[in-house]
Amino acid sequence: MSAASGARSAGGPLGLGRLARHEQLVRRALEVAVEGHDDRLPDEVDVPVGAVVFGPDGAELATGRNERSLCSDPTAHAEIVAIRRAAAVLGSWRLDDCTLAVTLEPCTMCAGAIVLARIAVLVFGAWEPKTGAVGSLWDVVRDRRQTHRPEVYGGVLGEECGATLRVFFSDRRDPRGPSKG
């Protein structure tokens, strides 16, 4: 297991080639998470979680970031936004052989959407011990009773993804205002 990423698959440590590719996917999701974040009004700012769906050929199909506040939609999590957009691009709700990279372990709703969309591979960054449904609190996507179970790689760039969230929340709790670093 790489000490830098802490990434593990369902079957053990990742090989270096796959780990590098997964890190690349999560880095793209991190970019999406913070794109335009400073340009929005404070009441429109959502938790910086980013998601990217990649097609069977590895090409980027769609991106999404949390848009709950922006859209006044409780279901507008990054994963859901990206899945909806990817399905529109493909013209099908079935995202067979697609990969979803996201910066935070999906919640129950998003884990259910991943299963229902038939995502083949899920790669995520930070673990979410309070609401995570891919191993932390529950394991919705790998439940043996599911009709579809994606391959899962968690903790990829987990520290980096977690740091983005810690900065976001500390800025909202600090009475002195946002940090500059």
Side-chain angles (χ1 to χ4, degrees), residues 18-89:
R18 187 177 291 167
L19 175 60
R21 174 66 178 145
H22 289 171
E23 286 179 350
Q24 181 182 28
L25 301 180
V26 173
R27 280 198 197 291
R28 176 62 184 129
L30 265 170
E31 290 172 6
V32 171
V34 298
E35 282 174 356
H37 221 264
D38 295 334
D39 299 338
R40 295 190 279 174
L41 300 172
D43 60 341
E44 294 177 335
V45 175
D46 284 287
V47 177
V49 175
V52 184
V53 177
F54 298 90
D57 62 355
E60 185 175 305
L61 291 177
T63 65
R65 63 175 172 227
N66 277 356
E67 296 180 359
R68 293 179 308 171
S69 295
L70 183 67
C71 298
S72 299
D73 178 356
T75 69
H77 289 201
E79 300 94 312
I80 301 294
V81 173
I83 288 169
R84 285 178 181 157
R85 290 176 179 163
V89 167

Side-chain angles (χ1 to χ4, degrees), residues 93-114:
W93 61 269
R94 296 182 70 105
L95 302 181
D96 297 317
D97 299 321
C98 290
T99 297
L100 173 66
V102 61
T103 57
L104 183 65
E105 179 183 3
C107 69
T108 306
M109 174 184 67
C110 294
I114 290 163

